[in-house]
Structures are given as structure tokens and as C-alpha cells.
Amino acid sequence: MDRHRSRSPTSSSHHHYSPNRRGGDNRRRNHCDGAQFRPSNHHLHQSSATPRQTPPRSQTLSTRREAYERDFPLYKQPVEVGCFSLDSRRRFFNDSRQMRYYVEPERSPNFDLRDGYKERYVKRDENVKEKLDHILRWIIANRSKLTSKLTTNASCPLDFDFVTWRGHLTKLLTTPYETREGWLLAVTRFNGTLYISEVETEAARRERENRPERNKEMMYWGYKFEQYMCADDTNSEPDPSGVVNTNEAFCTVVQTRLTDHKLLFSGEVDCRDRDPGAPPPPACYVELKTSAEICTPKQRSNFHRFKLLKWWAQSFLPGVPRVVAGFRDHDGTVVSVETFQISKISQLIKNEYNCWKPTVCMNFCCDFLSFVKREATEDNPSVVYLFSWEPHNDVTYSVHRDSRYSFLPDWYIKEMTRSPE
Ligand code: 0WD
Ligand code: CA
């Protein structure tokens, strides 16, 4: 059954990732790739069944897990093509000035995550919707690196099928297992590239606006943990007496391919290995997380089923090999720190009954992107195809012209319509 696996999410120094074993047959052409691509319409809902003919194409996409239990799709080793930084005032810089360095803590460090919440916390304004703007600024600043060497055609300047945030792809990966939160993804086709930008759902906005004080404080704990674990320079130490400012960010920009979808996406990176002998990005990057300490078998099972799914999806996408987790008690004290290798997570969850599977996540994402490519056909920067999903339903979409959903800024359209120097 595993015979055709092309990339496994276990390998960390790799050309392909694959879920649970090393060295699958990487030379094999993926069943979803190029000429051998056969749209697996069995999970697209059809209005009428006409067996053995080309099935009519549906305008909805199923999110049922069973529909995606096939071989792991080709996912090329993500390559970092650049990075950018956002400073304490959320200003963009086309460089790594916000990079931080991982400092290994004691196993039981007793960090107080509540420290500074009232006095040393500057919180990013969540009412400001930045959409894809930072990525688009990065694209303009690095346009010469990105233009296809084969096509000098000015109408197809970017050699990517999709441009988006890593976080949006994470949501797609976890969709077949999500039972609580739906999503809205706005898609615009411009010069042949599909741009995907999230729209906050009404439910998410309500939740954000009515967040209990305890939750607000717990959101701070994650950032405070980063401050305890990261130094600003390779040979300095963390400074827990400083201000936590969540405007600051270091983002990697990676390119990769999922079957026949060429992707360019950016994701925030917490820190990197400070050893000068560490591998190049993204292999030197470290993702930091906090989680409630695990005291019972039920808590362990929930951690495997829900937390590890999200952690795996988020770091697997850009090829970040490890997550360092701080387990905290009810009062926000870190009682233990543990490293999770992304490549070992699928093994770790194997004993969980009816657990999530990396292949389902990746195949769903792949089929969603194929669905978007097929449906979002009009190349027009002011047209938005709004893809919508609620748990226990299919993905649907609606089309919007010159609406409040348009998200490609005029400065970007203007710059990209100009032919490159
Ligand atoms: O406006 C929006 N709807 C979004 C903006 C949604 C998602 C991201 N962004 C932007 C921001 O500019 C941010 O700097 O993306 C950046 C992070 O993007 P990502 O890496 O694609 O997002 P994700 O993987 O969801 O989150 C990575 C980290 C989070 O760390 P944890 O360990 O909690 O997953 O980025 C932070 C957070 O620290 N983060 C955000 N920062 C600013 N704005 C946002 C956000 N909306 N969401 C997560
Ligand atoms: Ca983090």
C-alpha cells in the first residue's frame, strides 16, 4: 500500500517529505503530476451520475477524510527564496533584521509567562487587515529573482501558480479534521497567478471582539515564552526584562511545489539555531509553542489529536524541522520543555485510534488548489472568488466584482503591469 509514496513527512533532510518512512521511491512520477494527472472526481459532488463518461464538474469540494486517503502527494523540499522583517511599528524591511536566535533552556526552567503582561506588552492592532500586503511588497522588491526565465512574456511575470501566507495553507491542511472553525479564502487571478488571502469570518470576528480576559492573557504567554527562549544576536542571552511587542516579525519566503502547483508563500519564523555550523534555512529554523502541561492519558490523547496536527501542518509546509514546546501549568509557569521533530510526529501519533493522517491533509490541500485553478478562471485583479467552508459541509464559492473583498492593492497591480527593467 505504501509502495507509491513519493515524499514522506518524516524525513527532515530531504528532497521530498513523506509521512512515516524514509526513502520512498522519489523517482516515481506522482500520480497527480503532469500528464498522469487524473482528477479524482470521486469526491467532487456531481449533479448527475454518468458512469464511464467524463463526469460533470462540480462547483463544490468535499472535505470528507475518506476522499483523501491515497498515496502521499509529491511535495518538493521547500526552498527559502528570501525573507523580510516587520519592526516594532509594523514597518516592512526586505532583510532579516528581526531574526532571533534560539537559546536552549534548562529542562524545567520555571519561566513565569505572566511577567510583564500589564506593563511591558505592546500588542499588534488586530483591526488592521494587512491581507497579502507584506508578501506583495517583498515580491516587488525581489521581482527579478522571481520572473520566469523561460517566459519573457510581460503578461505572465510570476512563475508561480499560487501566492499566499503559510497560515492560510495550514488551515487548508487541517480542514478535513476541523470540527469547530470554518474559513473564508478570497482568491484573485492576476497575470496567471492565483493570490489567496483570508477574510475573517463573522464568527471569528465575534470571538475576537468578545475574547475573555483569561484568553487575552494566555495569548501573551506564547509571546513571552519566545522572549525567554530567544536572543537578538548569536552570542547574546535572552532578555526577559524587555518589552514584548507583537508587531515585530521575521518572515521566511519559500517556494515549493505540491504536485503540479507551484507555490510561493511566507510564514513567520520564531528563531534559528545559533550554531554557525547549523544547516541553511529553513532547516535551521525553530518553531516555539506553549501548551498546557499533560497530566492524564486523556490530555495526552487530545494533545496528539489536535495540537500536534496543527503544529505538524504549520512547520511541515515551510520545512521547519523542529518545534520546541514549553508546557505550562495553570498559572503560566513553564514546567517542562520538550523538542518535537516534525519528521517524527506521524510516528508519535500512530497509536492514537482514528487519528489524523498527513496524507489526508496534503491531498485535500492539493485538490483544493486544483479546484481553485479550475474555477477561478477570470484573470482580473478586481474579481474575487470567495471560497467558503463551514465544518461538516463542502467547500463552496461565490464570485465578487469590484467588491469589498478585492485585496490586491493598486500599487501592486500598477507595478506588476509595468514590464520589468
Ligand atoms: O491578516 C491576516 N488575516 C493574517 C496576517 C493572517 C495570517 C498571517 N498574517 C500575517 C502577519 O503579517 C504575520 O506577521 O502573517 C504573519 C504570520 O503569518 P503565518 O506564519 O502565515 O501565520 P501562522 O502560521 O498562522 O502564524 C505564525 C505566527 C503565530 O505563531 P503561533 O506559534 O501562535 O502559530 O505568526 C503570528 C503568531 O505568532 N501570527 C500573526 N501575526 C500577525 N498577524 C497572525 C496575524 N494575523 N496570525 C498569527
Ligand atoms: Ca510560535
Side-chain angles (χ1 to χ4, degrees):
M1 168 190 128
D2 284 345
R3 203 159 42 94
H4 292 313
R5 187 156 284 137
S6 58
R7 171 194 180 278
S8 89
T10 29
S11 50
S12 52
S13 61
H14 38 332
H15 268 63
H16 310 266
Y17 306 121
S18 106
N20 47 24
R21 60 177 227 198
R22 292 189 168 270
D25 184 1
N26 291 341
R27 289 157 303 178
R28 174 191 155 261
R29 292 201 48 176
N30 189 273
H31 73 290
C32 234
D33 207 4
Q36 290 183 311
F37 178 57
R38 276 176 286 120
S40 33
N41 276 335
H42 60 275
H43 58 275
L44 291 175
H45 286 185
Q46 288 147 26
S47 39
S48 67
T50 43
R52 304 213 159 263
Q53 284 174 15
T54 311
R57 292 212 151 142
S58 164
Q59 294 190 342
T60 68
L61 179 71
S62 168
T63 62
R64 289 175 56 245
R65 295 160 202 181
E66 310 79 71
Y68 301 96
E69 300 227 10
R70 47 181 204 261
D71 291 344
F72 201 82
L74 175 94
Y75 189 61
K76 280 190 71 179
Q77 167 73 49
V79 173
E80 180 175 81
V81 289
C83 63
F84 59 86
S85 294
L86 304 173
D87 74 359
S88 58
R89 291 159 61 190
R90 208 70 184 165
R91 290 174 302 191
F92 172 97
F93 295 90
N94 183 32
D95 58 39
S96 61
R97 67 183 66 194
Q98 293 290 350
M99 172 81 82
R100 291 180 300 176
Y101 298 86
Y102 175 67
V103 178
E104 179 128 20
E106 294 170 39
R107 268 189 79 85
S108 186
N110 287 312
F111 296 142
D112 176 10
L113 302 179
R114 292 177 308 183
D115 178 52
Y117 176 61
K118 285 270 152 38
E119 332 81 70
R120 302 193 314 282
Y121 183 23
V122 178
K123 204 180 151 299
R124 186 184 62 90
D125 182 354
E126 290 177 292
N127 292 308
V128 178
K129 298 299 176 207
E130 300 172 323
K131 298 171 272 194
L132 297 186
D133 290 4
H134 298 306
I135 302 179
L136 303 180
R137 286 197 66 177
W138 181 88
I139 289 174
I140 285 176
N142 295 275
R143 196 176 165 190
S144 55
K145 283 203 252 187
L146 300 171
T147 312
S148 169
K149 286 166 190 72
L150 299 170
T151 50
T152 43
N153 183 352
S155 71
C156 184
L158 275 192
D159 195 19
F160 293 99
D161 299 312
F162 293 94
V163 170
T164 192
W165 282 108
R166 175 270 308 274
H168 302 357
L169 295 173
T170 306
K171 284 202 174 167
L172 289 170
L173 259 62
T174 58
T175 295
Y177 299 104
E178 179 62 50
T179 57
R180 292 199 300 229
E181 288 168 14
W183 46 250
L184 285 171
L185 292 171
V187 177
T188 290
R189 185 185 286 266
F190 173 51
N191 282 356
T193 296
L194 291 147
Y195 295 81
I196 306 180
S197 180
E198 188 175 29
V199 174
E200 188 173 42
T201 63
E202 275 303 308
R205 189 179 56 81
R206 273 198 304 274
E207 212 161 276
R208 177 168 62 83
E209 287 172 352
N210 300 312
R211 212 175 265 151
E213 177 53 33
R214 168 86 179 167
N215 291 38
K216 289 186 191 166
E217 181 166 358
M218 287 172 70
M219 286 177 69
Y220 170 78
W221 292 359
Y223 295 107
K224 185 66 188 176
F225 181 62
E226 294 174 8
Q227 191 189 50
Y228 277 114
M229 302 283 285
C230 298
D232 288 341
D233 302 283
T234 45
N235 39 32
S236 64
E237 291 301 308
D239 177 17
S241 71
V243 169
V244 169
N245 185 325
T246 61
N247 288 300
E248 297 174 7
F250 166 79
C251 295
T252 179
V253 183
V254 305
Q255 78 167 59
T256 184
R257 186 155 64 86
L258 174 58
T259 68
D260 58 343
H261 307 304
K262 292 195 71 175
L263 314 179
L264 181 74
F265 60 83
S266 175
E268 195 173 320
V269 169
D270 292 327
C271 55
R272 58 160 291 161
D273 190 328
R274 63 171 168 175
D275 181 345
C284 61
Y285 291 152
V286 180
E287 172 65 37
L288 302 175
K289 294 289 183 197
T290 56
S291 196
E293 65 176 320
I294 295 166
C295 305
T296 68
K298 180 74 186 165
Q299 287 169 343
R300 174 162 309 272
S301 172
N302 282 338
F303 174 75
H304 286 168
R305 303 176 84 82
F306 305 111
K307 268 282 155 81
L308 283 185
L309 164 60
K310 297 215 162 135
W311 293 4
W312 173 83
Q314 184 187 41
S315 288
F316 179 73
L317 280 164
V320 172
R322 59 185 162 140
V323 174
V324 175
F327 291 96
R328 43 116 191 120
D329 65 16
H330 205 68
D331 302 323
T333 299
V334 174
V335 293
S336 66
V337 174
E338 207 177 314
T339 297
F340 293 87
Q341 300 294 333
I342 293 301
S343 60
K344 292 189 179 149
I345 286 181
S346 61
Q347 277 305 321
L348 209 64
I349 60 162
K350 275 275 149 65
N351 292 329
E352 237 23 273
Y353 174 72
N354 200 13
C355 202
W356 59 275
K357 296 190 180 95
T359 199
V360 168
C361 300
M362 296 302 283
N363 282 317
F364 171 73
C365 183
C366 178
D367 287 10
F368 174 78
L369 297 178
S370 300
F371 179 58
V372 168
K373 256 187 197 170
R374 203 174 68 222
E375 304 297 331
T377 49
E378 185 175 339
D379 199 307
N380 181 337
S382 60
V383 171
V384 166
Y385 294 80
L386 187 64
F387 289 83
S388 164
W389 178 72
E390 284 301 325
H392 315 295
N393 285 280
D394 291 349
V395 179
T396 60
Y397 73 93
S398 51
V399 188
H400 305 260
R401 288 162 198 284
D402 302 304
S403 73
R404 65 189 173 103
Y405 295 117
S406 298
F407 62 87
L408 289 181
D410 289 336
W411 52 260
Y412 183 72
I413 297 162
K414 200 159 156 237
E415 190 65 31
M416 297 304 277
T417 313
R418 229 166 43 86
S419 46
E421 268 103 57

